[in-house]
Amino acid sequence: MSDRERLKLDRRDFIKTTVGAGLAAGIGLGVPKFVRAQEQDALPLNEESAKVVPSFCSVCSGNCAIEAYVQNGRVVHLKGNIHDQAATGRLCVKGYNALDTLYDPDRVKQPMKRTNPNKGPNEDPKFVEISWEEAIETVAEKFNEIREEYGGHAISFFHRSHPFSQRLGRAIGTPNFIAHQSTCFTTQEAAWHAMVTGSGKPWTYDLKNAKYILSFGCDLLGKAKNMHMQHVTEALRNGAKLVVLDPYQSITASKAHEWIPIKPGTDLAFTLAMIHVITEEELYDKEFVEKYTTGIEKVIPFARRYTPEWAEEITEVPADVIRKIAREFAQTPPAHIPSHKRDAAGPNYVNSTKLAQTQVLLNALVGTIDRPGGALIPRNPSLPGFNVIFPPPEFPDMVTKRIDGWDEEPIMHTYYRGNMATIADGILSEKPYPVKAALVRGYNTLTFPNAQRMTEAFRKLDFLVVCEIIPTELVQLADVVFPEPHWLETSGFANRGYNSSYPQLALRLPASEPLHNTKGFGSIILDLADKMGLGRYFEGVSGSKFDDERLKAIGTSWEEFKQLPNGLWGDEKALVPREEFNTPSGKIELYATVFEEHGFDPLPTWQPKREMPSEEYPFYFVINRPIVHKMAATQNNKIANELCPENHAVMNADKAAEMGIKDGDEVIVKSKVNEVRLKAKLIQGIRPDTVMIEHGFGHRSKALSLANGKGANDGDLIPDFTVEEFKKLRDPGAGACMSDVCLSIRKA
Ligand SMILES: Nc1nc2c(c(=O)[nH]1)N[C@H]1C(S)=C(S)[C@@H](COP(=O)(O)OP(=O)(O)OC[C@H]3O[C@@H](n4cnc5c(=O)[nH]c(N)nc54)[C@H](O)[C@@H]3O)O[C@H]1N2
Ligand SMILES: Nc1nc2c(c(=O)[nH]1)N[C@H]1C(S)=C(S)[C@@H](COP(=O)(O)OP(=O)(O)OC[C@H]3O[C@@H](n4cnc5c(=O)[nH]c(N)nc54)[C@H](O)[C@@H]3O)O[C@H]1N2
Ligand code: SF4
Ligand SMILES: [Mo]
């Protein structure tokens, strides 16, 4: 098919899928407005000259493969690559809108240095533009100074795992690498690690083949991921039943056959009672359990005490409803409980890891672990790691104790993660030692629990370096800013992030020329190492060699890869279900011996959430995120901002009437740590004792011209911890307890 023909098809497909996806998700966004907004970019399209460049989306970590339509050097349209097992020719709304971040006039365009030494919410940093050479030199000099005076561990790094930067950190001698996963999914990760994989949670689902999908807050249709949404939609089309427990009527709940507004933080009682019913009535898949699991003989007596009547008291869900759902779940194969990160089994409550344990257990009881209709352990190609390709020289000895206490996490310390709930206290209290500098990439102050306290922590540092693409709140606190390219300006390749049922890689070539004076993070690190006098740790290292060597290990090369006719590598393969799992016994361990070995509950004994409603704080707190936004990264995106400019305190309409609060009234929402001011939004679809706030809003950087001043940050209400307090939670998943706090609400 010629480009021209493809373009014609695109235009039709695009409108069709956009409308389809909108309706499937039940979003009341006003579809014509959305299509109109997109067409502004597509309108100048000249079908003769447009060229198609392969890429993959990096708005979220789904990596959906993309075809980017480029004309006169401008990217005018993005489309899902039909050959991708994840995107299957479609993108989600966040992916379609990515162009408006690429072309955001507010982007950081040039390295900058602060000239106003005062840092604060109302301080203009008075940035001056500098050359890359000066920027790198300034940071290298300052880092070396701090290293000499306080030791390498006084320098901290905040970013997702990155092999170049991790090696630089090792060479500098710092253990302080802080990442966000304890706010996102470490609770599920710990349960899967101990019970099934030995290496974290799989994110691939074969839900399109499920006949019964049971969600505990898992909002697959609303926002989770493009591919998950497609799977659930297809399952529904094929007659699957969808049951959603959620205190708030999420988009998935609004499309469910049954929505059960369970009391927040009590799902563990519900799942324990399900295990009770399924084991007492012997409804489980005996063949699967016998062949592939261990510990059923311990689960049966353990679950005897957790009757549906017991769970009714805790959850406010009638015992016969729990019984009915347990029976349906066990008797409608394939049935599955999916969980995608921030739902009830995510790091929201002190009992969330235990809930995740019960979910793995229930999925094993019905035989949908690594089986059609269930969760699949991803079939990614096996690519060699950085240290295999570039073996490191000897490193000097270093301090291993970390400022966030992650090194003391009995299980999770083996993962590249970090504790965003304790890091503010670590920096402010200087325990166990002072941290003087930080290099942050791809996180903002809004990423952290108790964002106000974290802002104080960042202000306390002597030296802050921020790598960004837009001028966030954290950029306003930086001493030096490194501007990075938008992903549409870069090249590379990636696994199918959240849908990998066979090995497949997507190619990325630059769809746009570099629009600004930016540098990729890998190059920044190599330059920094060189200027710091640590070049010997990186001999022969380059981004392109790394890519090339990894591809050679699977029988191709970057030269060959660049020529891929449809932007994807790897042929479809039939799924071969796993017979063995990566646990001490080689089976799925219903009784988690790995937890037992570390002094945690091998079976998920009931435990309530941490904070309960009181006279002072009578409301439960749940968080959500709108379908059009990615976290706090897209509020300045023109289209996303137009569709959803601000967040609200979402309340039950009857309850609000009782309190004299009307829709649109300004209210003060308060927790024990802070308060925020928001407009009330009144709906019927939420429990009267619960307030929902969407994450991502409350930007206060004046340089974000569209996002600034709109809404408030949910994270201001979330408590943080000292390392000592955190250890007392005794959570093997080290979850940050993001929703485990209660609120008051009053008219402003
Ligand atoms: N549009 C969009 N999609 C995204 C993202 C984004 O920013 N925007 N971010 C991506 C990322 S990184 C993540 S982590 C995920 C997050 O997406 P989700 O995992 O969906 O997390 P939240 O948006 O926080 O929504 C949590 C849901 O759990 C419900 N919930 C809260 N407490 C309880 C409880 O005690 N019991 C039950 N049963 N339900 C409860 C809430 O009401 C809400 O519906 O989304 C990913 N996809
Ligand atoms: N209060 C509260 N806090 C939360 C959550 C919540 O629900 N409520 N959710 C938690 C969850 S689940 C997650 S995953 C985290 C996510 O936390 P983050 O990863 O911090 O989320 P984002 O806001 O998407 O991204 C942060 C910044 O990365 C920048 N960025 C994007 N692309 C690039 C790039 O290529 N290079 C560089 N240098 N920067 C880039 C964006 O411009 C943005 O400012 O937040 C967690 N924190
Ligand atoms: S699911 Fe994530 S990767 Fe895929 S199109 Fe949406 S934002 Fe992009
Ligand atoms: Mo997340």
Side-chain angles (χ1 to χ4, degrees):
M1 196 191 293
S2 72
D3 280 358
R4 193 179 171 164
E5 284 165 327
R6 287 155 77 119
L7 270 174
K8 279 191 185 141
L9 193 72
D10 272 1
R11 307 285 307 125
R12 281 200 310 273
D13 269 2
F14 168 66
I15 292 168
K16 213 168 61 201
T17 32
T18 304
V19 175
L23 291 180
I27 42 172
L29 288 174
V31 167
K33 185 178 173 193
F34 176 67
V35 172
R36 179 190 60 74
Q38 278 289 340
E39 283 195 341
Q40 288 174 348
D41 275 316
L43 271 178
L45 198 78
N46 177 340
E47 297 181 23
E48 297 298 324
S49 58
K51 88 175 177 202
V52 182
V53 179
S55 186
F56 54 86
C57 177
S58 285
V59 178
C60 84
S61 29
N63 298 342
C64 295
I66 277 183
E67 291 179 336
Y69 285 81
V70 182
Q71 143 178 312
N72 301 329
R74 191 176 163 91
V75 192
V76 290
H77 179 47
L78 302 176
K79 177 179 180 278
N81 186 330
I82 199 143
H83 305 284
D84 175 16
Q85 62 181 307
T88 65
R90 303 176 182 102
L91 303 177
C92 82
V93 53
K94 308 183 299 280
Y96 283 124
N97 288 348
L99 281 184
D100 287 281
T101 299
L102 170 69
Y103 294 118
D104 186 340
D106 292 338
R107 270 183 63 185
V108 280
K109 305 180 177 86
Q110 177 77 25
M112 298 188 294
K113 186 167 82 175
R114 162 180 224 99
T115 58
N116 177 1
N118 302 323
K119 297 180 179 183
N122 296 315
E123 293 288 347
D124 179 348
K126 298 208 163 67
F127 283 126
V128 292
E129 295 187 348
I130 53 177
S131 67
W132 270 105
E133 199 169 24
E134 185 182 346
I136 298 280
E137 232 169 64
T138 308
V139 177
E141 262 173 36
K142 193 73 193 177
F143 276 10
N144 274 343
E145 245 174 67
I146 290 171
R147 206 150 66 104
E148 249 164 58
E149 199 173 336
Y150 302 96
H153 50 277
I155 300 170
S156 57
F157 288 74
F158 291 71
H159 54 65
R160 290 166 169 80
S161 74
H162 192 288
F164 291 23
S165 183
Q166 282 160 256
R167 182 173 292 187
L168 176 63
R170 186 66 189 83
I172 290 174
T174 181
N176 293 311
F177 279 86
I178 319 298
H180 70 281
Q181 293 85 351
S182 62
T183 66
C184 180
F185 61 78
T186 49
T187 44
Q188 294 109 326
E189 189 164 54
W192 280 85
H193 166 99
M195 298 171 74
V196 187
T197 63
S199 61
K201 183 182 183 311
W203 304 110
T204 297
Y205 290 110
D206 180 44
L207 289 178
K208 65 179 181 300
N209 288 314
K211 286 289 175 232
Y212 196 89
I213 302 171
L214 178 57
S215 147
F216 293 87
C218 184
D219 191 18
L220 295 166
L221 289 176
K223 69 182 90 79
K225 307 284 164 176
N226 180 17
M227 49 302 259
H228 296 160
M229 181 205 243
Q230 294 185 44
H231 271 248
V232 176
T233 309
E234 202 173 324
L236 289 175
R237 219 179 274 135
N238 294 337
K241 181 161 182 185
L242 173 63
V243 176
V244 176
L245 292 95
D246 197 317
Y248 161 69
Q249 193 179 29
S250 67
I251 288 171
T252 308
S254 75
K255 293 284 136 188
H257 295 92
E258 267 174 65
W259 167 47
I260 299 168
I262 191 170
K263 197 193 263 189
T266 67
D267 303 61
L268 175 61
F270 192 103
T271 50
L272 284 168
M274 282 181 70
I275 297 169
H276 169 96
V277 174
I278 292 170
T279 51
E280 289 300 305
E281 299 183 10
E282 295 192 36
L283 302 176
Y284 55 90
D285 180 338
K286 294 227 169 78
E287 198 187 323
F288 187 89
V289 167
E290 196 169 301
K291 215 163 156 192
Y292 300 111
T293 76
T294 59
I296 186 70
E297 72 292 349
K298 294 197 172 91
V299 172
I300 294 170
F302 162 79
R304 217 156 267 152
R305 72 198 95 156
Y306 298 122
T307 62
E309 285 69 23
W310 164 83
E312 174 176 336
E313 295 280 302
I314 296 169
T315 58
E316 293 183 359
V317 183
D320 53 348
V321 173
I322 302 177
R323 232 177 227 109
K324 182 193 76 139
I325 288 173
R327 289 175 186 150
E328 281 178 3
F329 178 73
Q331 294 174 324
T332 322
H336 196 77
I337 301 173
S339 173
H340 188 83
K341 305 191 173 174
R342 289 293 315 281
D343 49 47
N348 284 316
Y349 305 102
V350 74
N351 60 12
S352 290
T353 304
K354 289 187 172 182
L355 176 62
Q357 246 175 298
T358 58
Q359 293 182 348
V360 174
L361 213 157
L362 282 163
N363 285 330
L365 291 182
V366 297
T368 52
I369 292 181
D370 210 60
R371 292 297 180 273
L376 302 179
I377 294 164
R379 270 65 174 166
N380 286 327
S382 155
L383 302 168
F386 182 64
N387 288 332
V388 173
I389 296 172
F390 304 110
E394 288 265 306
F395 290 110
D397 286 344
M398 62 178 261
V399 169
T400 54
K401 196 160 184 54
R402 286 171 54 131
I403 189 95
D404 63 347
W406 197 254
D407 52 307
E408 294 173 54
E409 282 303 325
I411 295 173
M412 296 314 293
H413 79 273
T414 55
Y415 288 76
Y416 177 95
R417 304 282 178 251
N419 199 335
M420 286 198 166
T422 56
I423 183 67
D425 193 75
I427 294 174
L428 290 168
S429 69
E430 305 198 346
K431 281 187 202 153
Y433 48 74
V435 165
K436 295 287 175 187
L439 183 147
V440 186
R441 180 200 192 210
Y443 293 136
N444 188 8
T445 50
L446 274 69
T447 313
F448 296 79
N450 201 346
Q452 298 201 358
R453 194 150 189 256
M454 193 62 211
T455 302
E456 287 315 301
F458 280 126
R459 281 178 67 193
K460 181 180 158 76
L461 299 172
D462 288 352
F463 193 64
L464 175 63
V465 187
V466 178
C467 304
E468 251 298 347
I469 58 171
I470 55 168
T472 60
E473 291 62 36
L474 191 63
V475 165
Q476 305 313 312
L477 299 177
D479 293 283
V480 173
V481 182
F482 288 150
E484 275 195 59
H486 185 273
W487 53 268
L488 280 162
E489 300 165 295
T490 68
S491 60
F493 63 88
N495 278 325
R496 310 304 56 238
Y498 293 109
N499 203 44
S500 186
S501 55
Y502 62 89
Q504 190 182 37
L505 296 172
L507 164 69
R508 175 186 286 166
L509 294 175
S512 168
E513 290 292 313
L515 299 174
H516 307 294
N517 187 13
T518 51
K519 207 188 257 283
F521 190 57
S523 304
I524 293 175
I525 293 297
L526 292 180
D527 290 354
L528 206 51
D530 198 43
K531 273 279 173 311
M532 288 183 76
L534 299 169
R536 66 186 177 282
Y537 293 99
F538 293 93
E539 254 157 46
V541 174
S542 73
S544 50
K545 180 140 192 261
F546 184 37
D547 280 354
D548 195 39
E549 292 296 325
R550 281 191 298 164
L551 291 174
K552 281 185 175 142
I554 53 166
T556 172
S557 67
W558 179 243
E559 263 322 297
E560 215 176 83
F561 215 71
K562 277 196 303 197
Q563 318 296 330
L564 283 170
N566 57 29
L568 286 153
W569 174 94
D571 297 326
E572 187 165 354
K573 287 193 179 64
L575 185 81
V576 182
R578 274 192 184 223
E579 299 284 317
E580 271 191 35
F581 299 88
N582 193 14
T583 59
S585 59
K587 300 198 175 199
I588 298 167
E589 298 202 352
L590 307 182
Y591 179 96
T593 58
V594 172
F595 279 174
E596 186 173 44
E597 192 190 310
H598 291 284
F600 297 115
D601 252 355
L603 289 169
T605 313
W606 165 248
Q607 177 187 0
K609 81 191 271 286
R610 206 163 73 98
E611 221 175 286
M612 293 300 173
S614 63
E615 218 166 286
E616 195 179 358
Y617 297 110
F619 288 93
Y620 291 103
F621 172 40
V622 299
I623 301 168
N624 207 332
R625 55 217 78 228
I627 194 160
V628 301
H629 282 293
K630 165 69 197 336
M631 301 298 183
T634 53
Q635 286 67 24
N636 209 61
N637 175 299
K638 184 178 70 182
I639 296 178
N641 187 282
E642 184 181 333
L643 290 169
C644 181
E646 63 183 339
N647 61 346
H648 300 86
V650 179
M651 296 183 71
N652 178 280
D654 298 340
K655 180 72 189 177
E658 232 176 68
M659 296 171 69
I661 295 173
K662 291 192 293 300
D663 195 68
D665 277 355
E666 295 264 338
V667 292
I668 305 291
V669 186
K670 189 170 181 303
S671 76
K672 65 185 180 195
V673 288
N674 282 309
E675 59 180 42
V676 297
R677 191 187 179 99
L678 280 165
K679 283 182 206 145
K681 186 189 248 171
L682 310 186
I683 61 169
Q684 286 296 337
I686 187 166
R687 288 173 61 94
D689 58 5
T690 302
V691 173
M692 187 280 276
I693 302 179
E694 284 172 328
H695 173 59
F697 300 85
H699 285 279
R700 297 293 181 264
S701 164
K702 293 188 180 73
L704 295 171
S705 54
L706 297 179
N708 180 34
K710 295 182 184 156
N713 177 22
D714 64 310
D716 287 355
L717 300 169
I718 302 173
D720 62 332
F721 295 85
T722 66
V723 169
E724 287 314 309
E725 284 166 350
F726 195 82
K727 278 202 243 168
K728 285 195 193 126
L729 302 179
R730 303 236 353 102
D731 172 6
C737 286
M738 303 291 278
S739 274
D740 212 338
V741 61
C742 290
L743 306 175
S744 69
I745 186 160
R746 63 172 200 278
K747 256 173 108 159

